[in-house]
Structure formats: C-alpha cells, structure tokens
C-alpha cells in the first residue's frame, strides 16, 4: 500500500494493530478522522492517553476503575458475602448486563494456560484466597468460560480453598462447553448465575 504521507502511513500502521483491523480498514478509519473537526480527534487522542495513564485496578477485586475502589466494590447495596470469580473486565460487564447478580467480583486477569506460559502466580489467585481467609466471604461463584483452561483454573482455586469454611458453586451449563462468557446472551447468562450449582457437583458430571 503506497502512501503520499509518512504521517498518514504511521497512523494507519498504528491503527492496524487493533484486533480485527486490517490495513484497508485502518486507512478508512484514519481518513474518517481527518475529515472530522480537529477538536473531535483531539478528544479521542486525549481519551486514549488518559486510558493509559490514569486508569487503575480496584484494590479489592482487580476490576478496571478510575479510583482505588471500583464503583461495584464501593456500592454499599452489593451483597459482600458472595464473590463471583471471572477472567477479565469483559466478563464483569457481561454479568452486570444481566441485572441478575448483586454480589461482588474478583477478576483473575486470565486463566491458567501452560501452553501460553500462564501459571497461577501470574493471576490474582493468592489475593482471592487471602480474601476468603479474612472470613467475610461465604460463597465463591466460579464464572470462567467452560474451556479446558477455565475448568483447570476453577479446579486449582477449589483445591487452594480446601479446609476453608467457604461454599463454592459454578454457573449452570446454560453456557455451551467451549464458549467464552462475554459472548453469551444476557438471558442465558443471567439464568446460569441464578441457577448455579455446587462446584463439587460439576466435578462429577
């Protein structure tokens, strides 16, 4: 692809690094931005800079937040005795969209995957176990995608909590095996949360 401007070429190269954006799509997006008022493009660039420099991780659940505690953890109306364990922020958003869950979350930041070089120490599993040991949490809901990596992560965390006075459950398998949680429709995901089953039962099936 030939460019008449090095600045245009650089912008297209950077835009094409986004997931699902090829060079042609990147060029179309960049040319669209050039046609917009300058202040609109400036607002976009400032939003991206703020995203990288000012965003935080919640001290309690590791969710993305603007403050030390995210809006969910600081909400006094949430049920603090129930914690839903998810892979990342997209899963929190998916479950919140169902309006069926009023507890708190714990974002692991990924799943155990030896093939990808991701082990337990690279996830926030230790802080989850420490949270349970503090005694306020009464139930842990495993809401990871029903993949091999998700099931492995669930089982590892379950074993780490043996001997602790904690109820463990997993979302009902209204979510197809192998599906990612974020792509489930809101009704199915909501029912899976509401109709969760004891985690031990999922090991036997």
């Amino acid at each position: 692809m030939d460019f008449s401007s090095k600045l245009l070429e650089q912008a297209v190269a950077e835009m094409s690094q986004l997931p699902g954006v090829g060079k042609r799509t990147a060029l179309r997006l960049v040319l669209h931005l050039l046609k917009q008022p300058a202040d609109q493009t400036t607002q976009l660039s400032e939003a991206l800079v703020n995203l990288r420099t000012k965003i935080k991780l919640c001290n309690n659940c590791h969710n993305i937040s603007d403050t030390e505690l995210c809006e969910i953890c600081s909400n006094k109306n949430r049920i603090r005795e129930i914690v839903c364990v998810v892979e990342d922020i997209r899963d929190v958003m998916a479950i919140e969209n169902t309006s069926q869950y009023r507890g708190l979350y714990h974002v692991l930041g990924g799943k155990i995957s030896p093939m990808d070089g991701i082990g337990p120490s690279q996830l926030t599993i230790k802080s989850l176990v420490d949270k349970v040991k503090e005694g306020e949490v009464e139930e842990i809901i495993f809401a990871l995608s029903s993949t091999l990596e998700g099931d492995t992560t669930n089982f590892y965390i379950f074993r780490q909590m043996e001997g602790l006075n904690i109820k463990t459950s997993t979302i009902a398998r209204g979510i197809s095996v192998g599906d990612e949680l974020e792509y489930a429709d809101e009704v199915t995901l909501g029912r899976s949360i509401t109709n969760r089953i004891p985690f031990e039962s999922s090991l036997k099936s």
Side-chain angles (χ1 to χ4, degrees), residues 1 10-31 33:
M1 189 178 290
Q10 181 182 7
V12 170
E14 293 300 324
M15 189 75 76
S16 64
Q17 294 185 49
L18 296 173
V21 178
K23 283 289 179 69
R24 291 186 183 279
T25 302
L27 176 60
R28 188 164 60 250
L29 292 172
V30 169
L31 292 177
L33 290 174

Side-chain angles (χ1 to χ4, degrees), residues 56-75:
K56 307 175 187 297
L57 292 180
C58 174
N59 286 343
N60 184 55
C61 72
H62 308 286
N63 190 12
I64 290 175
S65 175
D66 295 339
T67 54
E68 298 299 323
L69 276 183
C70 70
E71 292 183 0
I72 296 175
C73 287
S74 58
N75 186 342

Side-chain angles (χ1 to χ4, degrees), residues 176-194:
S176 301
V177 173
D179 280 358
E180 294 292 340
L181 207 66
E182 63 178 298
Y183 299 123
D185 66 271
E186 294 173 6
V187 174
T188 300
L189 183 53
R191 288 174 178 170
S192 295
I193 290 287
T194 303

Side-chain angles (χ1 to χ4, degrees), residues 30-49:
V30 169
L31 292 177
H32 171 77
L33 290 174
L34 276 176
K35 293 178 182 178
Q36 304 308 303
D39 61 339
Q40 185 173 332
T41 307
T42 301
Q43 288 173 15
L44 173 61
S45 62
E46 287 178 352
L48 292 174
V49 170

